[in-house]
Amino acid sequence: MALILITVMVILAAGPTWSSPSIIQMRPEKKTLLAADDLYCSSWRFTVETNDAGAWTRVPVRCVDFVKEYITGDLYASELEAVTTNAAEYARAIRISGDGRDAWVFDIDETLLSNVPYYAVNGFGSKIFDEPSFNEWVELAEAPAIAPGLRLYNELQELGFTIFLLTGRGEYQRHATERNLMYAGFSNWGKLILRGKSDEGTLASVFKSEKRKEIEDAGYIIHGSSGDQWSDLMGFAVARRSYKLPNPLYYIA
Amino acid sequence: MALILITVMVILAAGPTWSSPSIIQMRPEKKTLLAADDLYCSSWRFTVETNDAGAWTRVPVRCVDFVKEYITGDLYASELEAVTTNAAEYARAIRISGDGRDAWVFDIDETLLSNVPYYAVNGFGSKIFDEPSFNEWVELAEAPAIAPGLRLYNELQELGFTIFLLTGRGEYQRHATERNLMYAGFSNWGKLILRGKSDEGTLASVFKSEKRKEIEDAGYIIHGSSGDQWSDLMGFAVARRSYKLPNPLYYIA
């Protein structure tokens, strides 16, 4: 009985408020989110991931802890896995022509490379995007691979797809980007397409559509496309199937 | 102390397994989902709501309890609210011409009317769609309004939008649908468009695109569109802004 009582005291001390009527996420080692914030922020995340929210510049103040727990926790990893499983199943069912014209387009940031280490020391999306400090991080070329992204990337190559990397990063970041991709385990891409001088000031959705159009005009069939932003996937010359990866840290139009 | 002990016994009897290392959703009055199922099903829901999953015919067996808890709980209601807030903010910022040509397109099922009472007695999405029993439910004309949908509908009318209702229901269900809409509080729609004989066998995404094209060709500007399926929103003649509502119960291509 004494043991039960001690256990009980620990539970009562560490646990949530039992009178809370709603959803409470229990993560024993982590700060417990209030139920109302969890509900609000889960719903906010829904609107972000479905593109209902439209343009936004930073994570709402009350959702910063939520985003931190999400992006460093099991759910983000599990969602990345789930989307990758969808994409791999689709890709395996495609009859590859063997002429190298079957293509897949990947975005890079938050699709193949993770900038979570950068955002972890820069407020987890709570601050307005700071280009100078982000560019310093890019030059370090130490972003780790998103593990399911690397697995899909390798499987697509084995299946015979030509891989296009299409990123909003600038041409001046080509060398750092190549170095980082190789550091993280990526190799043998067909082409790495970055924003040139003439693409400056173009919306990402338009820039990426134009580049997909060029890929199609060169004779490729874009079977699939993976990106963490809707602007990676929508517009014109869209892939036959698009795979939206989660990202509650930032929005790109 | 006796009172605490009794409380404690109740908590220990009703609570989750404390050794679970991951996310546990606590809903004292409801069955507790296992952490692994919660993670799997949350991720499954992400792939469904972003359209990454593509076509699916029923809720995975291990996610039926998850879907039941979600759709009857606070999170579904909160997400519907959040999307509606996005849509209303966008609509309020539109300069209405006053000539009646500013339009909004609503889907009906799971957008304005809720079929959760039907799915509650038909396995919460765990069974293959059964047209005869669903049609009986439609003829009852007792589906309740989705409250945030009704609020948005009314606000759009006050703002001066012409409202089009565009549904995959058949012409033969027109009378029951009108009765149900009025029963649930909807009135004064501009036009109710259902599937005619010639639309049979057409994918919902194509049928709805064709009808939106006709609306545009008649001189309307489709500022916004609300639907719980991507096939309500994508294709051609898409609205300037689309609002994807949650629905983990079923998929329509």
Side-chain angles (χ1 to χ4, degrees):
Chain A
M1 180 58 85
L3 183 60
I4 290 174
L5 259 182
I6 289 164
T7 310
V8 155
M9 304 302 265
V10 171
I11 290 169
L12 289 176
T17 307
W18 285 93
S19 58
S20 291
S22 189
I23 302 165
I24 295 163
Q25 290 212 345
M26 297 289 303
R27 294 164 187 248
E29 307 94 41
K30 293 181 183 171
K31 187 173 158 186
T32 302
L33 291 166
L34 293 174
D37 283 345
D38 193 36
L39 200 57
Y40 177 86
C41 300
S42 292
S43 303
W44 171 78
R45 199 168 83 79
F46 180 89
T47 67
V48 161
E49 297 297 5
T50 52
N51 214 20
D52 289 332
W56 54 280
T57 51
R58 54 180 127 181
V59 172
V61 172
R62 69 188 283 195
C63 298
V64 176
D65 284 345
F66 173 91
V67 166
K68 177 183 173 181
E69 289 200 14
Y70 164 77
I71 208 85
T72 58
D74 295 337
L75 186 54
Y76 177 54
S78 173
E79 288 179 357
L80 290 169
E81 275 296 335
V83 180
T84 302
T85 301
N86 291 149
E89 283 173 2
Y90 164 70
R92 285 174 207 140
I94 294 169
R95 193 188 297 258
I96 299 292
S97 64
D99 60 5
R101 298 300 186 182
D102 297 290
W104 197 281
V105 177
F106 281 101
D107 167 57
I108 293 180
D109 293 296
E110 272 51 74
T111 299
L112 296 181
L113 297 180
S114 172
N115 298 304
V116 170
Y118 170 81
Y119 284 96
V121 293
N122 285 279
F124 285 105
S126 62
K127 300 177 186 173
I128 298 288
F129 180 66
D130 178 61
E131 196 166 338
S133 71
F134 187 76
N135 287 353
E136 279 176 35
W137 158 253
V138 166
E139 288 303 319
L140 278 180
E142 289 178 0
I146 290 186
L150 178 55
R151 224 179 46 239
L152 177 63
Y153 179 99
N154 286 333
E155 179 164 356
L156 290 172
Q157 287 203 327
E158 280 163 32
L159 289 169
F161 286 89
T162 298
I163 291 179
F164 289 87
L165 306 179
L166 178 51
T167 174
R169 292 185 178 195
E171 272 294 347
Y172 67 98
Q173 295 170 314
R174 177 177 289 274
H175 182 61
T177 301
E178 288 173 343
R179 257 197 311 138
N180 198 151
L181 286 164
M182 287 183 288
Y183 162 84
F186 298 92
S187 57
N188 298 316
W189 50 85
K191 196 172 179 186
L192 167 60
I193 305 168
L194 305 100
R195 261 179 200 271
K197 277 279 175 201
S198 63
D199 304 311
E200 280 172 20
T202 309
L203 285 178
S205 58
V206 176
F207 163 67
K208 295 199 169 186
S209 293
E210 287 171 350
K211 294 301 166 185
R212 282 194 308 268
K213 183 72 169 57
E214 289 176 18
I215 293 168
E216 285 187 354
D217 289 348
Y220 293 94
I221 299 162
I222 306 178
H223 290 283
S225 185
S226 303
D228 62 292
Q229 302 286 326
W230 285 102
S231 57
D232 294 329
L233 307 171
M234 303 190 81
F236 53 92
V238 296
R240 292 188 176 179
R241 281 288 299 274
S242 293
Y243 292 92
K244 169 69 175 79
L245 298 159
N247 184 359
L249 292 169
Y250 56 87
Y251 170 86
I252 298 172
Chain B
M1 181 57 86
L3 183 62
I4 290 174
L5 260 182
I6 290 164
T7 311
V8 154
M9 304 302 264
V10 171
I11 290 168
L12 289 176
T17 308
W18 285 91
S19 59
S20 290
S22 191
I23 302 165
I24 297 163
Q25 290 212 345
M26 298 288 303
R27 297 166 183 243
E29 308 94 42
K30 293 179 182 172
K31 187 173 159 185
T32 301
L33 292 165
L34 293 174
D37 283 344
D38 194 36
L39 200 57
Y40 176 86
C41 299
S42 292
S43 304
W44 171 77
R45 199 167 83 78
F46 179 90
T47 66
V48 162
E49 298 298 5
T50 52
N51 214 21
D52 289 332
W56 53 279
T57 51
R58 54 180 126 181
V59 172
V61 172
R62 71 188 281 196
C63 297
V64 176
D65 284 344
F66 173 91
V67 166
K68 177 183 173 181
E69 289 199 15
Y70 164 77
I71 208 86
T72 59
D74 296 336
L75 187 54
Y76 177 54
S78 173
E79 288 179 356
L80 290 170
E81 274 299 334
V83 179
T84 302
T85 301
N86 291 149
E89 284 173 2
Y90 163 71
R92 285 175 206 139
I94 294 169
R95 194 188 298 258
I96 298 295
S97 64
D99 61 4
R101 297 301 186 183
D102 297 291
W104 197 283
V105 177
F106 281 101
D107 167 56
I108 293 181
D109 293 297
E110 271 50 73
T111 299
L112 296 181
L113 297 180
S114 172
N115 298 304
V116 170
Y118 169 82
Y119 284 96
V121 293
N122 285 278
F124 285 105
S126 61
K127 299 177 186 173
I128 298 290
F129 180 66
D130 178 61
E131 197 167 338
S133 71
F134 187 76
N135 287 353
E136 279 176 35
W137 158 253
V138 167
E139 288 303 320
L140 278 180
E142 289 177 1
I146 289 185
L150 178 55
R151 225 178 47 240
L152 176 63
Y153 179 99
N154 287 333
E155 179 165 355
L156 290 172
Q157 286 203 326
E158 281 163 31
L159 289 169
F161 286 89
T162 298
I163 290 179
F164 288 87
L165 305 179
L166 178 50
T167 174
R169 291 185 179 196
E171 272 295 347
Y172 68 98
Q173 295 170 313
R174 177 177 288 274
H175 182 62
T177 301
E178 288 174 344
R179 258 198 310 139
N180 199 150
L181 286 164
M182 288 183 286
Y183 162 84
F186 297 93
S187 57
N188 299 315
W189 50 85
K191 195 173 179 186
L192 168 60
I193 306 167
L194 304 101
R195 261 179 199 270
K197 275 280 176 204
S198 63
D199 305 311
E200 281 172 19
T202 310
L203 284 179
S205 58
V206 176
F207 162 67
K208 295 199 168 186
S209 292
E210 288 171 349
K211 294 301 166 184
R212 282 195 307 269
K213 183 72 169 55
E214 289 176 19
I215 293 168
E216 286 187 353
D217 289 347
Y220 293 93
I221 299 162
I222 306 177
H223 291 283
S225 186
S226 303
D228 61 292
Q229 302 286 326
W230 285 102
S231 57
D232 295 330
L233 308 171
M234 304 191 80
F236 53 92
V238 295
R240 290 187 177 180
R241 282 287 299 273
S242 293
Y243 293 92
K244 169 69 175 78
L245 298 160
N247 184 359
L249 292 168
Y250 57 86
Y251 170 86
I252 297 172

